[in-house]
């Protein structure tokens, strides 16, 4: 592959203006200035944020403030925060527990925002940085020996390297897959709706998110998130539909929280990845954020990871080059997330089957008096810690394992007793 001389401007095309693409664009400009290099960056985004939006609950987990400041040089836009999340209620069909961060004296809260404002904010900073933003849909691409060619609905563009930040867009995933070994990540479906019960009821939720582990295998988890003037309801699973969402909203555990008359008007469908994509980088291309599937398996921190992967991709392109070998550094940068994959799968599997067979109820009973287990549940639900450390916290205490085994055994026995 022909190398680009360090004195020549490096031409980069970024597909997607979500947090991963915007972060990569801003980082390319900032890091190039530090290195005395010239980059010509063009970013393609076909949505107009405000009219269109990216599916999300908009909950930003720590250390989002530091990430934006350190990686992007942007003071965190506090005006976008609708609520500071103090804690989480975790519900099974029969039990509930309140979880908050007891690991430090001054825990950093998660921040509930309106996602579309965050996307709009970041994209405006991309433009301020001098990046050309093209409002168009990319439909295909070609790789030649020494360049990459992108085709949009309105024209074609040539550059040295392509950054795929297109989320789980199927057209782009297939187009990149046809030209390279890239294979989009496996994903879950999500269905979301907004409920407007009036300010008094929204405020009665306080700054707390309700997370649910329903006793059914098709829903992996569900959540109710209070925003400024409404509540957002979400379900996630392999093949969930708007019908599944309605069933969840009518379920006893959800009705115990959302106990007022309301109408479900619009529902929105989305996806999130649950594992890394295959060949998410190669000669002259790298994917970031959801396209790369560099996410916490199961749940959480998608935006943080999108921002950090955009930054690391930019750094590797400028400091190491655009060959597959040079870009493979991203696997080292994300070793913690990639290494957490199997722990996340185990946590996902445990949560699904324990709740399906009602064995999560005794887990919650034990967590009621065991602070270690409560913190492990908090770290898992809030995405504050890796699944490896969550499972490590539980398995490193033989007393806790014994207590959990006893509680699950007891509930098994109770379940086998004939009903009066
Ligand atoms: C229901 C739901 C709730 C979530 N809640 C949270 C949460 O509370 N907190 C959190 O941290 N994460 C959450 N996530 C995950 C988070 O939304 C993603 O991880 C994050 O958006 C990934 O950012 P991204 O930039 O990689 O992709 P995206 O945000 O999907 O951005 C991709 C962009 O590429 C553009 N694009 C795609 N194809 C093309 C094309 N062909 N041409 C031009 N432009 C294109 C799209 O329009 C889009 O703007 C949630 C996800 C879902 C589905």
């Amino acid at each position: 592959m022909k190398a680009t001389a360090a004195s020549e401007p490096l031409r980069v095309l970024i597909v997607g203006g979500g947090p991963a693409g915007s972060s990569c664009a801003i980082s390319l400009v900032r890091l190039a200035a530090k290195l005395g290099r010239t980059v010509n960056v063009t970013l393609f985004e076909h949505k107009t944020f405000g009219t269109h939006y990216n599916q999300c609950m908009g909950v930003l987990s720590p250390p989002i403030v530091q990430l934006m400041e350190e990686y992007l040089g942007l003071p965190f836009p506090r005006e976008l925060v609708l609520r500071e999340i103090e804690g989480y209620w975790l519900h099974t069909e029969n039990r509930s527990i309140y979880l908050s961060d007891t690991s430090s004296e001054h825990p950093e809260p998660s921040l509930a925002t309106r996602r579309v404002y965050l996307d709009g904010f970041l994209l405006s900073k991309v433009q301020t940085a001098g990046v050309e933003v093209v409002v168009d849909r990319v439909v295909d691409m070609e790789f030649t020996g020494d360049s990459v060619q992108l085709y949009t609905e309105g024209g074609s563009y040539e550059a040295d390297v392509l950054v795929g930040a297109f989320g789980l867009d199927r057209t782009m995933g297939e187009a990149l897959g046809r030209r390279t070994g890239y294979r989009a990540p496996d994903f879950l479906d999500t269905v979301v709706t907004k409920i407007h019960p009036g300010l008094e009821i929204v405020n009665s939720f306080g700054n707390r998110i309700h997370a649910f582990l329903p006793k059914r295998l098709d829903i992996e988890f569900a959540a109710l998130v209070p925003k400024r003037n409404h509540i957002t309801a979400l379900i996630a699973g392999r093949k969930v539909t708007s019908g599944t969402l309605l069933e969840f909203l009518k379920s006893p555990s959800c009705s115990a929280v959302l106990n007022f008359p309301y109408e479900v008007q619009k529902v929105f469908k989305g996806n999130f990845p649950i594992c890394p994509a295959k060949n998410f980088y190669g000669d002259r291309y790298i994917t970031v954020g959801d396209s790369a599937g560099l996410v916490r398996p199961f749940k959480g921190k998608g935006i943080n990871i999108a921002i950090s992967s955009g930054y690391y991709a930019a750094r590797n392109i400028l400091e190491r080059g655009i060959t597959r070998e040079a870009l493979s550094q991203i696997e080292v940068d994300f070793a913690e997330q990639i290494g957490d994959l199997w722990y996340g799968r185990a946590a996902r599997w445990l949560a699904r089957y324990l709740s399906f067979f009602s064995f999560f109820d005794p887990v919650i009973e034990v967590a009621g008096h065991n602070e270690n287990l409560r913190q492990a549940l908090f770290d898992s639900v809030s995405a504050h810690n890796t699944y490896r450390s969550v499972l490590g916290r539980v398995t490193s205490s033989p007393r806790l394992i014994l207590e959990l085994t006893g509680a699950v055994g007891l509930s098994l026995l109770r379940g086998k007793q004939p009903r009066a």
Side-chain angles (χ1 to χ4, degrees):
M1 192 176 71
K2 195 184 126 193
T4 308
S7 54
E8 286 176 31
L10 182 77
R11 299 163 305 162
V12 188
L13 300 177
I14 301 178
V15 185
S22 289
S23 160
C24 190
I26 295 168
S27 303
L28 278 166
V29 174
R30 270 168 54 83
L31 295 171
K34 276 192 198 155
L35 295 167
R37 301 266 311 266
T38 315
V39 281
N40 291 335
V41 186
T42 307
L43 181 147
F44 301 85
E45 174 54 64
H46 67 105
K47 288 181 185 166
T48 309
F49 295 127
T51 310
H52 311 107
Y53 65 95
N54 286 329
Q55 267 259 353
C56 191
M57 301 296 258
V59 179
L60 307 176
S61 308
I64 187 72
V65 175
Q66 293 82 337
L67 271 186
M68 282 182 63
E69 289 178 0
E70 281 171 31
Y71 288 176
L72 309 184
L74 297 174
F76 183 78
R78 293 266 167 201
E79 64 279 9
L80 302 190
V81 177
L82 304 177
R83 282 177 191 273
E84 290 196 354
I85 301 300
E86 292 161 1
Y88 296 76
W89 277 99
L90 177 63
H91 306 273
T92 61
E93 213 85 339
N94 305 304
R95 297 273 185 283
S96 299
I97 188 167
Y98 180 65
L99 304 167
S100 62
D101 191 358
T102 51
S103 65
S104 88
E105 256 183 56
H106 302 289
E108 235 185 301
S110 292
L111 305 170
T113 57
R114 232 190 121 198
R115 171 62 194 272
V116 73
Y117 293 156
L118 179 73
D119 284 343
F121 168 82
L122 287 173
L123 201 56
S124 74
K125 297 298 172 191
V126 170
Q127 280 165 315
T128 314
V131 170
E132 184 191 3
V133 176
V134 179
V135 184
D136 203 349
R137 187 169 172 78
V138 178
V139 289
D140 205 356
M141 72 203 62
E142 283 168 11
F143 290 85
T144 60
D146 53 11
S147 71
V148 50
Q149 182 92 13
L150 274 197
Y151 297 95
T152 68
E153 286 171 348
S156 65
Y157 300 78
E158 194 191 9
D160 300 303
V161 59
L162 164 75
V163 177
F166 44 79
L168 290 177
D169 183 86
R170 282 173 210 170
T171 311
M172 278 306 295
E174 280 167 23
L176 185 58
R178 272 201 311 276
R179 309 292 179 191
T180 67
Y182 174 81
R183 294 291 172 272
D186 191 11
F187 59 86
L188 292 184
D189 285 334
T190 58
V191 187
V192 170
T193 191
K194 286 181 187 173
I195 295 168
H196 287 89
L199 263 187
E200 207 179 311
I201 289 176
V202 177
N203 288 336
S204 74
F205 264 61
N207 294 333
R208 293 163 178 194
I209 291 177
H210 290 260
F212 298 81
L213 292 173
K215 190 177 157 52
R216 45 192 289 174
L217 289 176
D218 54 346
I219 304 180
E220 294 215 6
F221 67 87
L224 298 174
V225 181
K227 294 300 187 76
R228 187 168 283 157
N229 64 353
H230 68 270
I231 290 162
T232 304
L234 154 92
I235 57 166
R238 275 261 170 227
K239 288 179 184 168
V240 287
T241 62
S242 54
T244 328
L245 176 68
L246 292 179
E247 284 165 23
F248 162 70
L249 291 171
K250 285 184 197 149
S251 69
S253 54
C254 182
S255 308
V257 180
L258 263 184
N259 187 17
F260 47 83
Y262 59 86
E263 262 181 56
V264 172
Q265 289 167 343
K266 283 189 186 165
V267 294
F268 307 91
K269 285 209 84 174
N271 309 111
F272 60 77
I274 50 173
C275 67
K278 287 206 179 86
N279 297 311
F280 63 90
Y281 58 86
D283 286 332
R284 293 194 183 275
Y285 79 92
I286 183 162
T287 57
V288 288
D290 277 8
S291 304
L294 286 175
V295 292
R296 270 170 71 88
F298 198 18
K299 168 193 174 298
K301 280 203 173 157
I303 295 169
N304 295 34
I305 293 175
I307 290 175
S308 52
S309 62
Y311 167 82
Y312 280 111
R315 205 172 82 173
N316 293 335
I317 287 171
L318 289 172
E319 289 183 355
R320 297 175 60 90
I322 55 176
T323 61
R324 179 180 173 81
E325 196 194 341
L327 296 171
S328 68
Q329 171 67 22
I330 196 86
E331 295 212 32
V332 179
D333 299 329
F334 278 85
E336 187 178 270
Q337 282 79 6
I338 294 170
D340 207 31
L341 185 68
W342 285 102
Y343 296 94
R345 280 190 178 147
R348 225 179 108 203
W349 188 90
L350 269 174
R352 275 183 89 196
Y353 286 95
L354 285 178
S355 39
F356 183 66
F357 292 109
S358 297
F359 292 147
F360 222 95
D361 296 346
V363 174
I364 287 190
E365 273 171 36
V366 174
H369 59 261
N370 186 304
E371 201 180 316
N372 212 13
L373 181 57
R374 250 194 338 269
Q375 183 67 36
L377 290 177
F378 172 82
D379 285 345
S380 175
V381 172
S382 66
H384 273 43
N385 234 322
T386 59
Y387 286 108
R388 183 186 183 147
S389 75
V390 167
L391 293 174
R393 193 180 261 279
V394 177
T395 51
S396 64
S397 164
R399 228 183 102 195
L400 177 53
I401 293 182
L402 221 73
E403 210 178 334
L404 280 171
T405 317
V408 170
L410 205 68
S411 93
L412 242 176
L413 282 175
R414 274 193 220 133
K416 284 203 168 162
Q417 275 167 15
R419 281 166 200 245

mmCIF file of all heavy atoms in Angstrom, residues 232-269:
data_model
loop_
_atom_site.group_PDB
_atom_site.id
_atom_site.type_symbol
_atom_site.label_atom_id
_atom_site.label_comp_id
_atom_site.label_asym_id
_atom_site.label_seq_id
_atom_site.Cartn_x
_atom_site.Cartn_y
_atom_site.Cartn_z
ATOM 1 N N THR A 232 -39.249 8.175 29.926
ATOM 2 C CA THR A 232 -38.952 7.342 28.767
ATOM 3 C C THR A 232 -38.955 5.881 29.212
ATOM 4 O O THR A 232 -38.340 5.539 30.225
ATOM 5 C CB THR A 232 -37.571 7.697 28.170
ATOM 6 O OG1 THR A 232 -37.566 9.089 27.861
ATOM 7 C CG2 THR A 232 -37.300 6.939 26.902
ATOM 8 N N ALA A 233 -39.685 5.051 28.464
ATOM 9 C CA ALA A 233 -39.719 3.609 28.771
ATOM 10 C C ALA A 233 -38.978 2.869 27.670
ATOM 11 O O ALA A 233 -39.121 3.191 26.481
ATOM 12 C CB ALA A 233 -41.160 3.123 28.841
ATOM 13 N N LEU A 234 -38.176 1.879 28.056
ATOM 14 C CA LEU A 234 -37.350 1.127 27.102
ATOM 15 C C LEU A 234 -37.411 -0.357 27.417
ATOM 16 O O LEU A 234 -37.398 -0.742 28.585
ATOM 17 C CB LEU A 234 -35.884 1.582 27.229
ATOM 18 C CG LEU A 234 -34.792 0.587 26.818
ATOM 19 C CD1 LEU A 234 -34.431 0.779 25.358
ATOM 20 C CD2 LEU A 234 -33.550 0.751 27.660
ATOM 21 N N ILE A 235 -37.500 -1.186 26.365
ATOM 22 C CA ILE A 235 -37.260 -2.619 26.549
ATOM 23 C C ILE A 235 -36.194 -3.040 25.544
ATOM 24 O O ILE A 235 -36.080 -2.452 24.458
ATOM 25 C CB ILE A 235 -38.536 -3.487 26.358
ATOM 26 C CG1 ILE A 235 -39.162 -3.254 24.980
ATOM 27 C CG2 ILE A 235 -39.538 -3.256 27.468
ATOM 28 C CD1 ILE A 235 -40.189 -4.308 24.619
ATOM 29 N N ALA A 236 -35.422 -4.061 25.901
ATOM 30 C CA ALA A 236 -34.378 -4.572 24.991
ATOM 31 C C ALA A 236 -34.426 -6.085 24.985
ATOM 32 O O ALA A 236 -34.651 -6.717 26.023
ATOM 33 C CB ALA A 236 -33.008 -4.098 25.461
ATOM 34 N N GLY A 237 -34.251 -6.672 23.817
ATOM 35 C CA GLY A 237 -34.237 -8.139 23.689
ATOM 36 C C GLY A 237 -33.973 -8.513 22.247
ATOM 37 O O GLY A 237 -33.917 -7.637 21.376
ATOM 38 N N ARG A 238 -33.847 -9.813 21.978
ATOM 39 C CA ARG A 238 -33.510 -10.265 20.622
ATOM 40 C C ARG A 238 -34.513 -9.821 19.572
ATOM 41 O O ARG A 238 -34.147 -9.347 18.522
ATOM 42 C CB ARG A 238 -33.440 -11.784 20.592
ATOM 43 C CG ARG A 238 -32.129 -12.304 21.016
ATOM 44 C CD ARG A 238 -31.258 -12.671 19.807
ATOM 45 N NE ARG A 238 -29.917 -12.946 20.297
ATOM 46 C CZ ARG A 238 -28.812 -12.451 19.760
ATOM 47 N NH1 ARG A 238 -28.858 -11.675 18.705
ATOM 48 N NH2 ARG A 238 -27.635 -12.728 20.274
ATOM 49 N N LYS A 239 -35.830 -9.990 19.884
ATOM 50 C CA LYS A 239 -36.829 -9.677 18.858
ATOM 51 C C LYS A 239 -38.009 -8.933 19.461
ATOM 52 O O LYS A 239 -39.159 -9.256 19.186
ATOM 53 C CB LYS A 239 -37.336 -10.981 18.218
ATOM 54 C CG LYS A 239 -36.311 -11.631 17.319
ATOM 55 C CD LYS A 239 -36.836 -12.912 16.737
ATOM 56 C CE LYS A 239 -35.750 -13.580 15.913
ATOM 57 N NZ LYS A 239 -36.084 -14.941 15.563
ATOM 58 N N VAL A 240 -37.729 -7.961 20.327
ATOM 59 C CA VAL A 240 -38.849 -7.275 20.984
ATOM 60 C C VAL A 240 -39.578 -6.369 19.995
ATOM 61 O O VAL A 240 -38.987 -5.865 19.035
ATOM 62 C CB VAL A 240 -38.378 -6.466 22.216
ATOM 63 C CG1 VAL A 240 -38.034 -7.376 23.372
ATOM 64 C CG2 VAL A 240 -37.208 -5.556 21.875
ATOM 65 N N THR A 241 -40.884 -6.179 20.254
ATOM 66 C CA THR A 241 -41.723 -5.395 19.344
ATOM 67 C C THR A 241 -42.503 -4.368 20.173
ATOM 68 O O THR A 241 -42.442 -4.384 21.410
ATOM 69 C CB THR A 241 -42.753 -6.301 18.647
ATOM 70 O OG1 THR A 241 -43.592 -6.865 19.675
ATOM 71 C CG2 THR A 241 -42.104 -7.426 17.864
ATOM 72 N N SER A 242 -43.309 -3.558 19.474
ATOM 73 C CA SER A 242 -44.136 -2.588 20.197
ATOM 74 C C SER A 242 -45.146 -3.335 21.086
ATOM 75 O O SER A 242 -45.498 -2.871 22.171
ATOM 76 C CB SER A 242 -44.850 -1.673 19.215
ATOM 77 O OG SER A 242 -45.566 -2.456 18.297
ATOM 78 N N GLY A 243 -45.585 -4.525 20.626
ATOM 79 C CA GLY A 243 -46.510 -5.348 21.424
ATOM 80 C C GLY A 243 -45.841 -5.799 22.721
ATOM 81 O O GLY A 243 -46.462 -5.784 23.792
ATOM 82 N N THR A 244 -44.564 -6.191 22.619
ATOM 83 C CA THR A 244 -43.836 -6.614 23.832
ATOM 84 C C THR A 244 -43.750 -5.446 24.811
ATOM 85 O O THR A 244 -43.883 -5.624 26.022
ATOM 86 C CB THR A 244 -42.395 -7.076 23.479
ATOM 87 O OG1 THR A 244 -42.370 -7.672 22.188
ATOM 88 C CG2 THR A 244 -41.837 -8.009 24.516
ATOM 89 N N LEU A 245 -43.533 -4.238 24.276
ATOM 90 C CA LEU A 245 -43.437 -3.059 25.147
ATOM 91 C C LEU A 245 -44.762 -2.840 25.896
ATOM 92 O O LEU A 245 -44.767 -2.617 27.109
ATOM 93 C CB LEU A 245 -43.084 -1.803 24.327
ATOM 94 C CG LEU A 245 -43.050 -0.498 25.123
ATOM 95 C CD1 LEU A 245 -41.885 -0.478 26.110
ATOM 96 C CD2 LEU A 245 -42.949 0.715 24.207
ATOM 97 N N LEU A 246 -45.884 -2.963 25.169
ATOM 98 C CA LEU A 246 -47.193 -2.771 25.817
ATOM 99 C C LEU A 246 -47.407 -3.815 26.903
ATOM 100 O O LEU A 246 -47.907 -3.510 27.990
ATOM 101 C CB LEU A 246 -48.316 -2.832 24.786
ATOM 102 C CG LEU A 246 -48.348 -1.664 23.789
ATOM 103 C CD1 LEU A 246 -49.474 -1.821 22.792
ATOM 104 C CD2 LEU A 246 -48.485 -0.335 24.531
ATOM 105 N N GLU A 247 -47.013 -5.057 26.614
ATOM 106 C CA GLU A 247 -47.166 -6.120 27.630
ATOM 107 C C GLU A 247 -46.342 -5.786 28.871
ATOM 108 O O GLU A 247 -46.792 -5.952 30.000
ATOM 109 C CB GLU A 247 -46.717 -7.468 27.059
ATOM 110 C CG GLU A 247 -47.730 -8.077 26.098
ATOM 111 C CD GLU A 247 -47.130 -9.217 25.275
ATOM 112 O OE1 GLU A 247 -46.132 -9.832 25.704
ATOM 113 O OE2 GLU A 247 -47.660 -9.465 24.187
ATOM 114 N N PHE A 248 -45.110 -5.295 28.638
ATOM 115 C CA PHE A 248 -44.268 -4.933 29.788
ATOM 116 C C PHE A 248 -44.915 -3.805 30.591
ATOM 117 O O PHE A 248 -44.975 -3.856 31.822
ATOM 118 C CB PHE A 248 -42.862 -4.517 29.330
ATOM 119 C CG PHE A 248 -42.121 -3.735 30.377
ATOM 120 C CD1 PHE A 248 -41.683 -4.349 31.541
ATOM 121 C CD2 PHE A 248 -41.917 -2.368 30.233
ATOM 122 C CE1 PHE A 248 -41.044 -3.623 32.545
ATOM 123 C CE2 PHE A 248 -41.283 -1.630 31.223
ATOM 124 C CZ PHE A 248 -40.842 -2.261 32.385
ATOM 125 N N LEU A 249 -45.432 -2.780 29.881
ATOM 126 C CA LEU A 249 -46.007 -1.626 30.594
ATOM 127 C C LEU A 249 -47.222 -2.024 31.435
ATOM 128 O O LEU A 249 -47.502 -1.411 32.461
ATOM 129 C CB LEU A 249 -46.380 -0.514 29.602
ATOM 130 C CG LEU A 249 -45.190 0.188 28.928
ATOM 131 C CD1 LEU A 249 -45.662 1.112 27.811
ATOM 132 C CD2 LEU A 249 -44.360 0.971 29.944
ATOM 133 N N LYS A 250 -47.906 -3.101 30.993
ATOM 134 C CA LYS A 250 -49.093 -3.546 31.756
ATOM 135 C C LYS A 250 -48.723 -4.561 32.845
ATOM 136 O O LYS A 250 -49.593 -4.994 33.594
ATOM 137 C CB LYS A 250 -50.087 -4.209 30.794
ATOM 138 C CG LYS A 250 -50.823 -3.193 29.938
ATOM 139 C CD LYS A 250 -51.857 -3.891 29.073
ATOM 140 C CE LYS A 250 -52.318 -3.014 27.944
ATOM 141 N NZ LYS A 250 -52.700 -3.768 26.758
ATOM 142 N N SER A 251 -47.451 -4.991 32.879
ATOM 143 C CA SER A 251 -47.062 -6.047 33.831
ATOM 144 C C SER A 251 -47.159 -5.517 35.265
ATOM 145 O O SER A 251 -47.024 -4.314 35.496
ATOM 146 C CB SER A 251 -45.637 -6.519 33.551
ATOM 147 O OG SER A 251 -44.725 -5.488 33.882
ATOM 148 N N PRO A 252 -47.371 -6.423 36.247
ATOM 149 C CA PRO A 252 -47.521 -5.956 37.632
ATOM 150 C C PRO A 252 -46.305 -5.169 38.120
ATOM 151 O O PRO A 252 -46.458 -4.156 38.795
ATOM 152 C CB PRO A 252 -47.676 -7.264 38.433
ATOM 153 C CG PRO A 252 -48.133 -8.282 37.426
ATOM 154 C CD PRO A 252 -47.597 -7.862 36.102
ATOM 155 N N SER A 253 -45.081 -5.620 37.756
ATOM 156 C CA SER A 253 -43.915 -4.910 38.309
ATOM 157 C C SER A 253 -43.814 -3.502 37.739
ATOM 158 O O SER A 253 -43.452 -2.562 38.455
ATOM 159 C CB SER A 253 -42.619 -5.689 38.076
ATOM 160 O OG SER A 253 -42.482 -5.994 36.716
ATOM 161 N N CYS A 254 -44.164 -3.312 36.454
ATOM 162 C CA CYS A 254 -44.109 -1.961 35.881
ATOM 163 C C CYS A 254 -45.276 -1.123 36.399
ATOM 164 O O CYS A 254 -45.092 0.041 36.767
ATOM 165 C CB CYS A 254 -44.119 -2.043 34.356
ATOM 166 S SG CYS A 254 -43.990 -0.427 33.594
ATOM 167 N N SER A 255 -46.467 -1.728 36.475
ATOM 168 C CA SER A 255 -47.637 -0.966 36.950
ATOM 169 C C SER A 255 -47.438 -0.495 38.389
ATOM 170 O O SER A 255 -47.980 0.541 38.793
ATOM 171 C CB SER A 255 -48.902 -1.814 36.908
ATOM 172 O OG SER A 255 -49.050 -2.370 35.646
ATOM 173 N N ALA A 256 -46.645 -1.237 39.171
ATOM 174 C CA ALA A 256 -46.405 -0.817 40.553
ATOM 175 C C ALA A 256 -45.658 0.518 40.586
ATOM 176 O O ALA A 256 -45.741 1.263 41.561
ATOM 177 C CB ALA A 256 -45.600 -1.888 41.282
ATOM 178 N N VAL A 257 -44.928 0.842 39.514
ATOM 179 C CA VAL A 257 -44.181 2.103 39.463
ATOM 180 C C VAL A 257 -44.943 3.150 38.652
ATOM 181 O O VAL A 257 -45.023 4.316 39.028
ATOM 182 C CB VAL A 257 -42.786 1.852 38.818
ATOM 183 C CG1 VAL A 257 -41.985 3.141 38.739
ATOM 184 C CG2 VAL A 257 -42.010 0.795 39.588
ATOM 185 N N LEU A 258 -45.490 2.722 37.513
ATOM 186 C CA LEU A 258 -46.205 3.641 36.596
ATOM 187 C C LEU A 258 -47.706 3.484 36.831
ATOM 188 O O LEU A 258 -48.435 3.057 35.949
ATOM 189 C CB LEU A 258 -45.924 3.236 35.159
ATOM 190 C CG LEU A 258 -44.843 3.915 34.352
ATOM 191 C CD1 LEU A 258 -44.837 3.410 32.938
ATOM 192 C CD2 LEU A 258 -44.973 5.424 34.354
ATOM 193 N N ASN A 259 -48.167 3.855 38.046
ATOM 194 C CA ASN A 259 -49.547 3.542 38.389
ATOM 195 C C ASN A 259 -50.462 4.750 38.166
ATOM 196 O O ASN A 259 -50.883 5.401 39.116
ATOM 197 C CB ASN A 259 -49.592 3.069 39.852
ATOM 198 C CG ASN A 259 -50.969 2.580 40.206
ATOM 199 O OD1 ASN A 259 -51.769 2.296 39.317
ATOM 200 N ND2 ASN A 259 -51.265 2.515 41.497
ATOM 201 N N PHE A 260 -50.672 5.116 36.909
ATOM 202 C CA PHE A 260 -51.590 6.210 36.595
ATOM 203 C C PHE A 260 -52.049 6.017 35.152
ATOM 204 O O PHE A 260 -51.385 5.331 34.375
ATOM 205 C CB PHE A 260 -50.898 7.571 36.760
ATOM 206 C CG PHE A 260 -49.555 7.617 36.117
ATOM 207 C CD1 PHE A 260 -49.431 7.874 34.758
ATOM 208 C CD2 PHE A 260 -48.404 7.381 36.854
ATOM 209 C CE1 PHE A 260 -48.194 7.910 34.163
ATOM 210 C CE2 PHE A 260 -47.161 7.412 36.252
ATOM 211 C CZ PHE A 260 -47.061 7.679 34.910
ATOM 212 N N PRO A 261 -53.170 6.613 34.783
ATOM 213 C CA PRO A 261 -53.635 6.414 33.404
ATOM 214 C C PRO A 261 -52.748 7.191 32.431
ATOM 215 O O PRO A 261 -52.458 8.357 32.657
ATOM 216 C CB PRO A 261 -55.054 7.004 33.417
ATOM 217 C CG PRO A 261 -55.170 7.776 34.672
ATOM 218 C CD PRO A 261 -54.053 7.454 35.578
ATOM 219 N N TYR A 262 -52.265 6.528 31.400
ATOM 220 C CA TYR A 262 -51.451 7.218 30.390
ATOM 221 C C TYR A 262 -51.679 6.525 29.058
ATOM 222 O O TYR A 262 -52.172 5.399 29.003
ATOM 223 C CB TYR A 262 -49.959 7.185 30.754
ATOM 224 C CG TYR A 262 -49.409 5.790 30.893
ATOM 225 C CD1 TYR A 262 -48.941 5.089 29.784
ATOM 226 C CD2 TYR A 262 -49.373 5.161 32.127
ATOM 227 C CE1 TYR A 262 -48.468 3.804 29.898
ATOM 228 C CE2 TYR A 262 -48.892 3.873 32.250
ATOM 229 C CZ TYR A 262 -48.437 3.201 31.140
ATOM 230 O OH TYR A 262 -47.970 1.929 31.256
ATOM 231 N N GLU A 263 -51.320 7.259 28.001
ATOM 232 C CA GLU A 263 -51.471 6.685 26.659
ATOM 233 C C GLU A 263 -50.100 6.493 26.046
ATOM 234 O O GLU A 263 -49.225 7.341 26.206
ATOM 235 C CB GLU A 263 -52.221 7.688 25.780
ATOM 236 C CG GLU A 263 -53.688 7.399 25.651
ATOM 237 C CD GLU A 263 -54.334 8.428 24.751
ATOM 238 O OE1 GLU A 263 -53.877 8.574 23.606
ATOM 239 O OE2 GLU A 263 -55.255 9.086 25.231
ATOM 240 N N VAL A 264 -49.931 5.374 25.343
ATOM 241 C CA VAL A 264 -48.688 5.195 24.597
ATOM 242 C C VAL A 264 -48.972 5.658 23.175
ATOM 243 O O VAL A 264 -49.818 5.091 22.493
ATOM 244 C CB VAL A 264 -48.247 3.715 24.603
ATOM 245 C CG1 VAL A 264 -47.067 3.500 23.668
ATOM 246 C CG2 VAL A 264 -47.898 3.289 26.016
ATOM 247 N N GLN A 265 -48.301 6.745 22.765
ATOM 248 C CA GLN A 265 -48.582 7.260 21.416
ATOM 249 C C GLN A 265 -47.568 6.751 20.407
ATOM 250 O O GLN A 265 -47.827 5.797 19.693
ATOM 251 C CB GLN A 265 -48.664 8.781 21.457
ATOM 252 C CG GLN A 265 -49.948 9.200 22.171
ATOM 253 C CD GLN A 265 -49.974 10.654 22.540
ATOM 254 O OE1 GLN A 265 -48.953 11.325 22.561
ATOM 255 N NE2 GLN A 265 -51.156 11.157 22.867
ATOM 256 N N LYS A 266 -46.377 7.328 20.407
ATOM 257 C CA LYS A 266 -45.387 6.890 19.408
ATOM 258 C C LYS A 266 -44.408 5.918 20.024
ATOM 259 O O LYS A 266 -44.004 6.092 21.174
ATOM 260 C CB LYS A 266 -44.585 8.097 18.938
ATOM 261 C CG LYS A 266 -45.314 8.976 17.974
ATOM 262 C CD LYS A 266 -44.324 9.974 17.434
ATOM 263 C CE LYS A 266 -45.012 10.994 16.570
ATOM 264 N NZ LYS A 266 -44.178 12.153 16.322
ATOM 265 N N VAL A 267 -44.002 4.897 19.250
ATOM 266 C CA VAL A 267 -42.905 4.040 19.712
ATOM 267 C C VAL A 267 -41.761 4.141 18.697
ATOM 268 O O VAL A 267 -41.989 4.391 17.524
ATOM 269 C CB VAL A 267 -43.316 2.560 19.908
ATOM 270 C CG1 VAL A 267 -44.297 2.391 21.017
ATOM 271 C CG2 VAL A 267 -43.852 1.970 18.633
ATOM 272 N N PHE A 268 -40.545 3.965 19.185
ATOM 273 C CA PHE A 268 -39.359 4.096 18.345
ATOM 274 C C PHE A 268 -38.544 2.817 18.465
ATOM 275 O O PHE A 268 -38.383 2.282 19.560
ATOM 276 C CB PHE A 268 -38.506 5.279 18.815
ATOM 277 C CG PHE A 268 -39.286 6.569 18.909
ATOM 278 C CD1 PHE A 268 -39.911 6.931 20.093
ATOM 279 C CD2 PHE A 268 -39.406 7.396 17.811
ATOM 280 C CE1 PHE A 268 -40.643 8.109 20.189
ATOM 281 C CE2 PHE A 268 -40.132 8.580 17.894
ATOM 282 C CZ PHE A 268 -40.755 8.927 19.084
ATOM 283 N N LYS A 269 -38.010 2.365 17.313
ATOM 284 C CA LYS A 269 -37.211 1.124 17.339
ATOM 285 C C LYS A 269 -35.737 1.444 17.163
ATOM 286 O O LYS A 269 -35.375 2.382 16.459
ATOM 287 C CB LYS A 269 -37.670 0.177 16.227
ATOM 288 C CG LYS A 269 -38.990 -0.483 16.565
ATOM 289 C CD LYS A 269 -39.123 -1.843 15.926
ATOM 290 C CE LYS A 269 -38.463 -2.930 16.745
ATOM 291 N NZ LYS A 269 -38.698 -4.261 16.208
#
